[in-house]
């Protein structure tokens, strides 16, 4: 394998842990991230110009972040790590036996190309939110739970003054407490999780007392801010003329159906809603990595089944920052050993492996507790838009199934255009599948994001020339104007 070094894609907890572990063992690392600062969503920082006096107030595990941040700065100063910010990776391409080319677009316009060559690649691309549609979910004022958190952490702004936080999943807790602490009135935290499910999984959940204590701490903060927590409830609809004015919520029965006699209306100007997380697997898919369900498959060293490609963090399964740190640490040590031509000693990461095993078991139980209501799609009216990009309604999706014979998600997409827009089904895929009653099958996309045709043309020319070997970047010499001449993107 080429000794050109390691390219780490993603500067969240997993990517940072892997970068530091590999660099500490003499490996040259290029850390590539789409954000302007390291940290990912979990450690998202406000812009320096905002002058935040106590950014730690929006985070927990702040000391862990400080160690990661300071370690990265030290390695960058030493020249062992190159940190490329505002680089949006759209493809990782194998270059024969010479390693890999990481293709990226630079800056907010995402039209100037860059290439990074490396002998090995770590995919630490994190996850994204799963949001299921309901009547009124497209109203201004309805945001994702993670979006509300990003506004607070990164912009130091509240999405509104009176909020309802709803859906299901552990993310709702820090979002509700963060909004309340920042001065918003949180009318309710509405979670569809059934308390009985926690009891059934109590043995596994109790195996991580630190996580249970973390949950109890959030519960205490909710009590201090007088936030009502409504378990086994769901949002039925959002209401408003020009923007959100109120939401209707209701309790769920044992089968996960809405109990009509429990409907009530809550006045609010913000609804932060989310139904869990999904791993980012686009780059892994394009490389041909095995994906089990929604997760990139890895072995005990965090290696994928594609030689030279490792994966860590949420892309291998949603499990929070502690699991991401453990997986990143293991991956960094493994890569450093493998690129040095020796078999790694698993004893070097024994503690991280134990943490990984316990947290994977814990979050498997958590996933079963925080599953969305079984019959959520019954509340989606025919006039509800389920694919925003193409403005496809639930009625059109149901017609494709009932009248046109669509029996799978791909056929629904072909008949209705649901999932053919800008997001390529990343946002609407789960919702469309649920409304159609089809299995949720992840799509295989050739690129991880839209790419200007001019950039593709030049990438093709570069590939035909056979240039490889040096670790570096191209496309930053002022020739990027060519890519901006064509507004077409695919």
């Amino acid at each position: 394998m080429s000794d050109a070094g390691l390219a780490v894609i993603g500067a969240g907890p997993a990517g940072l842990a892997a970068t530091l572990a590999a660099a500490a063992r003499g490996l040259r690392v290029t850390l590539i991230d789409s954000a302007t600062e390291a940290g990912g969503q979990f450690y998202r920082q406000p812009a320096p110009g905002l002058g935040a006096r106590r950014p730690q107030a929006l985070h927990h595990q702040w000391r862990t972040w400080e160690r990661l941040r300071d370690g990265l700065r030290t390695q960058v100063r030493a020249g062992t790590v190159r940190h490329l910010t505002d680089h949006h990776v759209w493809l990782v391409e194998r270059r024969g036996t010479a390693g890999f080319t990481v293709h990226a677009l630079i800056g907010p316009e995402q039209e100037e190309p860059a290439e990074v060559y490396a002998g090995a690649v770590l995919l630490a691309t994190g996850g994204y939110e799963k949001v299921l549609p309901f009547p009124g979910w497209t109203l201004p004022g309805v945001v994702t739970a993670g979006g509300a958190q990003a506004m607070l952490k990164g912009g130091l702004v509240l999405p509104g003054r009176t909020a309802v936080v709803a859906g299901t999943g552990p993310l709702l807790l820090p979002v509700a407490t963060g909004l309340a602490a920042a001065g918003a009135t949180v009318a309710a935290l509405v979670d569809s999780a059934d308390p009985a499910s926690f009891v059934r999984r109590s043995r596994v959940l109790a195996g991580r007392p630190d996580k249970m204590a973390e949950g109890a701490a959030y519960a205490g903060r909710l009590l201090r801010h007088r936030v009502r927590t409504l378990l086994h409830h769901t949002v039925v609809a959002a209401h408003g003329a020009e923007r959100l004015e109120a939401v209707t919520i209701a309790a769920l029965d044992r089968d996960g159906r809405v109990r009509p006699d429990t409907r009530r209306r809550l006045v609010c100007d913000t609804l932060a809603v989310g139904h869990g997380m999904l791993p980012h697997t686009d780059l892994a898919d394009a490389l041909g990595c095995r994906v089990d369900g929604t997760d990139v498959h890895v072995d005990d060293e965090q290696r994928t089944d594609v030689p030279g490609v490792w994966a860590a963090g949420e892309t291998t399964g949603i499990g929070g920052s502690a699991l991401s740190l453990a997986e990143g640490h293991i991956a960094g040590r493994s890569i450093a050993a493998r690129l040095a031509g020796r078999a790694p000693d698993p004893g070097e990461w024994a503690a991280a492996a134990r943490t990984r095993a316990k947290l994977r078991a814990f979050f498997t139980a958590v996933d079963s507790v925080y599953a969305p209501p079984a019959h959520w799609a019954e509340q989606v009216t025919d006039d509800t838009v389920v694919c925003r990009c193409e403005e496809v309604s639930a009625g059109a999706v149901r017609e494709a199934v009932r009248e046109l014979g669509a029996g799978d998600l791909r056929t629904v997409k072909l008949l209705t255009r649901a999932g053919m827009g800008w997001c390529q089904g990343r946002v609407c895929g789960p919702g469309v599948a649920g409304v159609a009653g089809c299995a949720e099958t992840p799509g295989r996309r050739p690129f991880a994001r839209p790419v200007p045709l001019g950039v593709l043309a030049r990438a093709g020319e570069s590939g035909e020339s056979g240039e490889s070997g040096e670790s570096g970047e191209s496309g930053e010499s002022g020739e990027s104007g060519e890519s901006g001449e064509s507004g077409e993107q695919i």
Side-chain angles (χ1 to χ4, degrees), residues 93-186:
E93 180 183 19
R94 180 179 287 281
R95 298 179 65 87
T97 59
F100 301 88
T101 301
V102 179
H103 296 275
L105 299 170
I106 303 175
E109 299 298 326
Q110 296 185 36
E111 291 187 344
E112 183 181 352
E115 294 179 355
V116 174
Y117 306 131
V121 171
L122 171 68
L123 304 176
T125 47
Y128 62 100
E129 283 187 274
K130 178 179 181 178
V131 180
L132 302 176
F134 51 88
W137 76 304
T138 58
L139 278 171
V142 180
V143 298
T144 66
Q149 188 182 57
M151 292 172 69
L152 191 58
K153 285 184 174 182
L156 302 181
V157 296
L158 289 171
R161 300 305 306 175
T162 303
V164 171
V165 178
T168 191
L171 178 61
L172 302 187
L173 290 170
V175 171
T177 55
L179 291 174
T185 298
V186 180

Side-chain angles (χ1 to χ4, degrees), residues 13 75 84 89 163 184 217 230 239 278 310 321 388 394 417 458:
Q75 295 292 352
L84 303 180
V89 177
L230 302 172
H239 313 284
L278 293 170
W310 279 252
S321 64
R388 294 183 177 189
R417 294 192 60 82
R458 276 192 286 169

